[in-house]
Amino acid sequence: AKMRRILSKEEIYDIIQAMPGEESMWIEDENERKEKYKEILHRGDRVELVRIIKALYNHQQAQRSKGKHLHTADEHFFKEAEKMLYDEFALVLNIRPDQVVPFILQQVEITEVDNEDNAPSSL
């Protein structure tokens, strides 16, 4: 993999805060999906990695509800995309990789709370 410029903290916060609004990138056709995902992992575009993670996460939930699993290839892409993104987040934010997901969820929640018109909460 070619070395990419490491993201700054600000860029990571931006990516995290944009996560809820990002489209997920699910491609119905399996071969097409493999090609596209492989290409994205190779490029390492973080926003596209988020879209893959979202798509595969949603698909995984849907499969689970039917008592099925992800395809091996999808499972592989899911793990790879998460690892690429989260290792970098952990490095820059100076947290452990296993703290990345809780951190993201926390940031996303904070953003959503902020967006509620900042109405003063009634006591």
Side-chain angles (χ1 to χ4, degrees):
K2 56 185 190 308
M3 280 304 292
R4 299 185 311 256
R5 185 179 65 79
I6 292 279
L7 295 174
S8 69
K9 274 192 176 156
E10 286 69 32
E11 288 172 309
I12 286 184
Y13 281 110
D14 288 348
I15 289 175
I16 290 173
Q17 281 162 3
M19 275 180 177
E22 284 300 341
E23 287 296 305
S24 75
M25 197 190 289
W26 180 251
I27 299 163
E28 225 28 81
D29 182 281
E30 199 182 342
N31 289 326
E32 199 183 319
R33 189 168 70 242
K34 275 186 195 166
E35 282 310 301
K36 184 78 180 149
Y37 285 10
K38 210 179 285 177
E39 183 194 316
I40 290 169
L41 283 167
H42 183 71
R43 268 210 312 275
D45 180 299
R46 280 65 155 211
V47 173
E48 291 190 328
L49 287 174
V50 169
R51 291 176 180 165
I52 290 185
I53 291 168
K54 261 187 115 151
L56 288 170
Y57 177 77
N58 292 337
H59 186 64
Q60 186 182 48
Q61 299 306 96
Q63 290 293 85
R64 273 203 187 131
S65 67
K66 297 183 234 165
K68 294 179 179 170
H69 295 286
L70 284 178
H71 285 304
T72 321
D74 289 332
E75 183 82 45
H76 167 75
F77 287 131
F78 197 20
K79 286 204 172 84
E80 281 292 294
E82 282 196 317
K83 187 168 164 26
M84 277 175 84
L85 201 64
Y86 298 166
D87 281 357
E88 182 170 26
F89 282 17
L91 183 74
V92 176
L93 300 169
N94 201 13
I95 56 180
R96 295 195 316 271
D98 64 354
Q99 293 173 310
V100 172
V101 174
F103 178 83
I104 289 174
L105 294 173
Q106 187 193 349
Q107 287 304 312
V108 167
E109 268 168 30
I110 291 168
T111 315
E112 282 173 359
V113 170
D114 282 351
N115 287 345
E116 284 172 8
D117 285 345
N118 298 328
S121 54
S122 51
L123 294 171

